[in-house]
PDB file of all heavy atoms in Angstrom:
ATOM      1  N   CYS W  22       9.444 -10.417 -15.567  1.00 98.00           N
ATOM      2  CA  CYS W  22       9.856  -9.135 -14.908  1.00 98.00           C
ATOM      3  C   CYS W  22      10.396  -8.203 -16.071  1.00 98.00           C
ATOM      4  O   CYS W  22      11.432  -8.462 -16.550  1.00 98.00           O
ATOM      5  CB  CYS W  22      10.899  -9.471 -13.848  1.00 98.00           C
ATOM      6  SG  CYS W  22      11.715  -7.928 -13.235  1.00 98.00           S
ATOM      7  N   ALA W  23       9.637  -7.199 -16.423  1.00 97.00           N
ATOM      8  CA  ALA W  23      10.062  -6.310 -17.455  1.00 97.00           C
ATOM      9  C   ALA W  23      10.842  -5.186 -16.828  1.00 97.00           C
ATOM     10  O   ALA W  23      10.555  -4.603 -15.761  1.00 97.00           O
ATOM     11  CB  ALA W  23       8.769  -5.763 -18.070  1.00 97.00           C
ATOM     12  N   THR W  24      11.914  -4.868 -17.531  1.00 96.00           N
ATOM     13  CA  THR W  24      12.888  -3.814 -17.127  1.00 96.00           C
ATOM     14  C   THR W  24      12.718  -2.543 -17.860  1.00 96.00           C
ATOM     15  O   THR W  24      12.333  -2.629 -19.028  1.00 96.00           O
ATOM     16  CB  THR W  24      14.366  -4.264 -17.181  1.00 96.00           C
ATOM     17  OG1 THR W  24      14.678  -4.542 -18.579  1.00 96.00           O
ATOM     18  CG2 THR W  24      14.465  -5.726 -16.474  1.00 96.00           C
ATOM     19  N   SER W  25      12.985  -1.371 -17.214  1.00 95.00           N
ATOM     20  CA  SER W  25      12.780  -0.079 -17.842  1.00 95.00           C
ATOM     21  C   SER W  25      14.035   0.277 -18.617  1.00 95.00           C
ATOM     22  O   SER W  25      13.919   1.223 -19.484  1.00 95.00           O
ATOM     23  CB  SER W  25      12.520   0.955 -16.768  1.00 95.00           C
ATOM     24  OG  SER W  25      13.616   1.094 -15.899  1.00 95.00           O
ATOM     25  N   ILE W  26      15.106  -0.450 -18.523  1.00 91.00           N
ATOM     26  CA  ILE W  26      16.334  -0.130 -19.325  1.00 91.00           C
ATOM     27  C   ILE W  26      16.758  -1.434 -20.059  1.00 91.00           C
ATOM     28  O   ILE W  26      16.172  -2.611 -19.792  1.00 91.00           O
ATOM     29  CB  ILE W  26      17.506   0.287 -18.444  1.00 91.00           C
ATOM     30  CG1 ILE W  26      17.973  -0.753 -17.511  1.00 91.00           C
ATOM     31  CG2 ILE W  26      16.960   1.572 -17.754  1.00 91.00           C
ATOM     32  CD1 ILE W  26      19.247  -0.425 -16.829  1.00 91.00           C
ATOM     33  N   SER W  27      17.676  -1.316 -20.961  1.00 90.00           N
ATOM     34  CA  SER W  27      18.153  -2.555 -21.628  1.00 90.00           C
ATOM     35  C   SER W  27      18.690  -3.519 -20.613  1.00 90.00           C
ATOM     36  O   SER W  27      19.546  -3.210 -19.724  1.00 90.00           O
ATOM     37  CB  SER W  27      19.251  -2.215 -22.565  1.00 90.00           C
ATOM     38  OG  SER W  27      19.902  -3.379 -23.117  1.00 90.00           O
ATOM     39  N   ILE W  28      18.328  -4.753 -20.684  1.00 92.00           N
ATOM     40  CA  ILE W  28      18.717  -5.838 -19.781  1.00 92.00           C
ATOM     41  C   ILE W  28      20.236  -6.087 -19.970  1.00 92.00           C
ATOM     42  O   ILE W  28      20.820  -6.619 -19.020  1.00 92.00           O
ATOM     43  CB  ILE W  28      17.926  -7.103 -20.032  1.00 92.00           C
ATOM     44  CG1 ILE W  28      17.783  -7.872 -18.629  1.00 92.00           C
ATOM     45  CG2 ILE W  28      18.453  -7.922 -21.161  1.00 92.00           C
ATOM     46  CD1 ILE W  28      16.816  -9.012 -18.682  1.00 92.00           C
ATOM     47  N   LEU W  29      20.817  -5.608 -21.012  1.00 89.00           N
ATOM     48  CA  LEU W  29      22.272  -5.789 -21.232  1.00 89.00           C
ATOM     49  C   LEU W  29      23.013  -4.852 -20.328  1.00 89.00           C
ATOM     50  O   LEU W  29      24.271  -5.082 -20.155  1.00 89.00           O
ATOM     51  CB  LEU W  29      22.632  -5.537 -22.713  1.00 89.00           C
ATOM     52  CG  LEU W  29      21.946  -6.468 -23.771  1.00 89.00           C
ATOM     53  CD1 LEU W  29      22.302  -6.051 -25.201  1.00 89.00           C
ATOM     54  CD2 LEU W  29      22.428  -7.942 -23.479  1.00 89.00           C
ATOM     55  N   ASP W  30      22.409  -3.886 -19.887  1.00 90.00           N
ATOM     56  CA  ASP W  30      23.046  -2.898 -18.917  1.00 90.00           C
ATOM     57  C   ASP W  30      22.973  -3.264 -17.446  1.00 90.00           C
ATOM     58  O   ASP W  30      23.356  -2.563 -16.582  1.00 90.00           O
ATOM     59  CB  ASP W  30      22.590  -1.456 -19.080  1.00 90.00           C
ATOM     60  CG  ASP W  30      22.851  -0.902 -20.503  1.00 90.00           C
ATOM     61  OD1 ASP W  30      23.977  -1.207 -20.967  1.00 90.00           O
ATOM     62  OD2 ASP W  30      22.090  -0.172 -21.069  1.00 90.00           O
ATOM     63  N   ILE W  31      22.232  -4.448 -17.283  1.00 92.00           N
ATOM     64  CA  ILE W  31      22.005  -4.870 -15.933  1.00 92.00           C
ATOM     65  C   ILE W  31      22.862  -6.099 -15.607  1.00 92.00           C
ATOM     66  O   ILE W  31      23.143  -6.936 -16.460  1.00 92.00           O
ATOM     67  CB  ILE W  31      20.540  -5.280 -15.709  1.00 92.00           C
ATOM     68  CG1 ILE W  31      19.631  -4.082 -15.951  1.00 92.00           C
ATOM     69  CG2 ILE W  31      20.328  -5.900 -14.354  1.00 92.00           C
ATOM     70  CD1 ILE W  31      18.117  -4.343 -15.923  1.00 92.00           C
ATOM     71  N   GLY W  32      23.433  -6.233 -14.453  1.00 91.00           N
ATOM     72  CA  GLY W  32      24.205  -7.277 -14.000  1.00 91.00           C
ATOM     73  C   GLY W  32      23.424  -8.429 -13.576  1.00 91.00           C
ATOM     74  O   GLY W  32      22.486  -8.885 -14.266  1.00 91.00           O
ATOM     75  N   THR W  33      23.764  -8.946 -12.391  1.00 96.00           N
ATOM     76  CA  THR W  33      22.887 -10.115 -11.946  1.00 96.00           C
ATOM     77  C   THR W  33      21.585  -9.799 -11.650  1.00 96.00           C
ATOM     78  O   THR W  33      21.206  -8.674 -11.081  1.00 96.00           O
ATOM     79  CB  THR W  33      23.610 -10.629 -10.500  1.00 96.00           C
ATOM     80  OG1 THR W  33      25.010 -10.997 -10.844  1.00 96.00           O
ATOM     81  CG2 THR W  33      22.817 -11.694  -9.959  1.00 96.00           C
ATOM     82  N   MET W  34      20.645 -10.659 -12.052  1.00 97.00           N
ATOM     83  CA  MET W  34      19.183 -10.507 -11.699  1.00 97.00           C
ATOM     84  C   MET W  34      18.718 -11.811 -10.978  1.00 97.00           C
ATOM     85  O   MET W  34      19.357 -12.819 -11.144  1.00 97.00           O
ATOM     86  CB  MET W  34      18.438 -10.261 -13.099  1.00 97.00           C
ATOM     87  CG  MET W  34      18.835  -9.107 -13.804  1.00 97.00           C
ATOM     88  SD  MET W  34      17.717  -8.790 -15.272  1.00 97.00           S
ATOM     89  CE  MET W  34      16.276  -8.220 -14.466  1.00 97.00           C
TER      90      MET W  34
END
Side-chain angles (χ1 to χ4, degrees):
C22 172
T24 66
S25 62
I26 65 170
S27 171
I28 208 168
L29 297 177
D30 292 328
I31 299 175
T33 297
M34 299 187 72

